[in-house]
Amino acid sequence: MTAVEAQARETRLFPPGFVWGVATSAYQIEGAAGADGRGPSIWDAFARVPGAVAAGESGDEACDHYHRWPEDLELMAGLGVGAYRFSVAWPRVFPDGGGRVNQRGLDFYRRLVDALNERGITPFATLYHWDLPQALEERGGWRVRETAERFAEYAATVHGALDGVPHWITLNEPYCSSITGYAEGRHAPGAREGHGALAAAHHLLVGHGLALARLRENARPGEQVGVTLNMSPAVPASPSPEDAAAARRMDLMVNRQFTEPLLGAAYPGDMAQVYGEISDFSFRRDGDLALISAPLDFLGVNYYYPIHAAAAPYEQPDPALRSAFDIGVRTVAPDGPPVSGLGWRVEPRGLYDTLTGLATRYRGLPPVFITENGYGDDGALDDTGRVAYLRDHLAATAAALDAGVDVRGYFCWSLLDNFEWARGYAARFGLVHVDYATQARTPKASYHWYREAIAERM
């Protein structure tokens, strides 16, 4: 992309006040799974299913951030970031999903937030990053509206306790929580459902709307509330009409079933066409769209790669047995773009297209933060691939700014190597290497590069 390449040669690409940060999530780094009254989450249960996670690993210990957080905050301070996006573990606060509050869990996050503010690092708190209390899953999980209601109560409790957080994110990547978890079965809770997965997607958005309303009822001056979506442009693998239709279905599943209700106050017009054989959408209620589409203070966008989509037969011909992930599409790997250490295509243009596409599709798009963007590999300290990835994606962000998109900040995923969900510990995204046997932290080349980039471009 000519504009991106031109921007990459510039020294100062970003406006004053642009937020530079790093991101993590609770289950991926905290460890201490049984400490201080924390209850089990769906990921604790899923990780114990044989074959669910690579090498049978879990987040039981992870990076032991629960005990080593002061060291990790010093790494952030040394990096020069102005913000830290973390998540609160719902089962640390409500071990059973609701009812009794676990004060020791809340106190941990109070200490963390206070220490961040003392160091001049602005907290961005994510209320849900996939670790649903197992007790709620046993009552239906996100398939049922009760979970959305419990989420709003949990959100209000955490908000009331953490008065040093100016930026709140209700959900992280509801696509992964619903489709990857309840349809594809690759993430917790490991279900392969049709109607149930679509209900989960809807109830996550309802939960967002309910939580947003509760936080605004008791908002402090200057507070902002948003939601984070993982977004991937869906690109036809060929010029054929069949592949174009497949890309449209992929765009619906990954992107539009979330962006349309949140930003457009409507359900996508092709939902019934794509999913009408597996769901009657009876989980929708009058008033849901108004709740879900309440104005956002900001939108978080997580971007890693675009999806190249080709038409394919349904895996399950019988609609009664078909999951919501089975939409007659297969992904293909195009020739040309380099790949990360995980085999993911590196295409910075996809981030530019995502940002400009949102601004074009949704008038009145709220300010955007890139809340995750990162590169997975085997953990080498001389991580030149990550440096190139960050450089080129920051250039794509700068090009989107130049095109008129109101991008307010960028959070690198991730500060630390961590438990990478179903991939276990083999996949490493950190600016800082973690030796899991000793918990020693060692900054990589990308840590030093990012520190210099922040110093030059703030």
Side-chain angles (χ1 to χ4, degrees):
M1 176 168 46
T2 303
V4 168
E5 292 170 351
Q7 287 280 14
R9 291 192 293 269
E10 298 295 328
T11 303
R12 294 184 179 274
L13 306 180
F14 298 94
F18 189 83
V19 174
W20 297 90
V22 287
T24 67
S25 87
Y27 188 75
Q28 292 180 273
I29 69 167
E30 282 182 2
D36 293 340
R38 177 188 178 275
S41 76
I42 55 174
W43 271 94
D44 295 293
F46 185 69
R48 281 155 179 75
V49 175
V53 176
E57 294 169 334
S58 75
D60 284 357
E61 184 173 358
C63 306
D64 195 30
H65 174 77
Y66 190 76
H67 299 109
R68 299 172 183 266
W69 62 268
E71 178 183 358
D72 295 336
L73 265 60
E74 289 307 307
L75 286 166
M76 291 179 223
L79 189 57
V81 294
Y84 174 45
R85 178 182 173 232
F86 65 97
S87 76
V88 177
W90 188 346
R92 252 189 226 292
V93 177
F94 286 105
D96 298 317
R100 177 182 58 87
V101 175
N102 178 30
Q103 198 61 46
R104 289 176 294 177
L106 276 177
D107 288 345
F108 166 72
Y109 296 108
R110 281 199 187 98
R111 292 192 295 272
L112 178 67
V113 167
D114 288 348
L116 286 167
N117 284 315
E118 288 168 5
R119 289 165 173 79
I121 300 172
T122 301
F124 279 64
T126 300
L127 288 161
Y128 186 70
H129 200 128
W130 308 357
D131 45 1
L132 182 71
Q134 179 62 19
L136 291 181
E137 176 59 28
E138 291 170 4
R139 299 206 294 270
W142 287 109
R143 304 173 192 86
V144 300
R145 187 170 291 256
E146 179 199 358
T147 299
E149 295 164 351
R150 297 291 82 74
F151 175 67
E153 293 169 2
Y154 150 74
T157 299
V158 175
H159 176 261
L162 303 183
D163 59 4
V165 176
H167 299 275
W168 294 89
I169 297 170
T170 54
L171 306 174
N172 178 75
E173 300 185 352
Y175 167 81
C176 291
S177 297
S178 56
I179 303 301
T180 312
Y182 285 90
E184 189 182 3
R186 187 164 53 88
H187 282 183
R192 296 177 182 271
E193 302 175 11
H195 176 85
L198 297 174
H202 182 72
H203 290 141
L204 279 154
L205 295 182
V206 171
H208 154 78
L210 292 170
L212 179 67
R214 292 290 297 272
L215 267 58
R216 288 210 167 126
E217 285 174 6
N218 298 291
R220 304 175 186 96
E223 279 188 341
Q224 295 189 335
V225 186
V227 65
T228 282
L229 305 178
N230 58 305
M231 302 201 67
S232 292
V235 182
S238 80
S240 74
E242 293 79 10
D243 285 355
R248 180 74 176 168
R249 293 194 297 276
M250 182 64 78
D251 182 51
L252 168 70
M253 182 176 72
V254 175
N255 301 315
R256 288 184 292 111
Q257 72 167 316
F258 303 100
T259 58
E260 287 294 304
L262 284 164
L263 303 172
Y267 299 117
D270 50 349
M271 279 287 283
Q273 177 186 352
V274 174
Y275 286 126
E277 290 186 307
I278 68 172
S279 179
D280 61 2
F281 305 103
S282 55
F283 43 77
R284 295 175 179 171
R285 293 186 185 176
D286 291 343
D288 282 356
L289 271 178
L291 184 71
I292 293 166
S293 64
L296 299 168
D297 296 313
F298 64 90
L299 175 68
V301 171
N302 293 354
Y303 172 83
Y304 290 92
Y305 52 80
I307 300 171
H308 297 266
Y314 287 106
E315 294 179 12
Q316 176 51 257
D318 183 354
L321 303 175
R322 192 178 297 159
S323 84
F325 185 72
D326 185 5
I327 57 172
V329 179
R330 64 184 177 90
T331 59
V332 299
D335 295 330
V339 298
S340 73
L342 301 184
W344 293 358
R345 296 284 159 174
V346 177
E347 299 184 62
R349 175 62 188 247
L351 176 56
Y352 175 86
D353 289 345
T354 294
L355 296 172
T356 56
L358 282 167
T360 299
R361 179 179 293 172
Y362 301 107
R363 291 187 177 182
L365 180 73
V368 174
F369 289 92
I370 310 301
T371 40
E372 286 184 28
N373 181 236
Y375 180 93
D377 61 14
D378 61 0
L381 292 178
D382 187 18
D383 54 343
T384 54
R386 179 170 293 106
V387 170
Y389 183 97
L390 296 177
R391 179 197 65 218
D392 293 346
H393 284 78
L394 281 168
T397 304
L401 272 163
D402 192 54
V405 185
D406 186 5
V407 184
R408 299 286 179 90
Y410 178 94
F411 291 77
C412 175
W413 183 270
S414 175
L415 174 67
L416 304 171
D417 290 338
N418 54 56
F419 176 76
E420 194 54 46
W421 308 111
R423 294 177 180 267
Y425 292 100
R428 292 173 177 260
F429 280 83
L431 298 170
V432 176
H433 179 275
V434 177
D435 181 330
Y436 296 114
T438 65
Q439 293 294 348
R441 274 84 158 134
T442 306
K444 303 176 188 177
S446 58
Y447 174 97
H448 301 291
W449 181 89
Y450 193 43
R451 179 178 61 194
E452 293 174 5
I454 294 170
E456 290 174 357
R457 293 164 178 160
M458 284 186 71

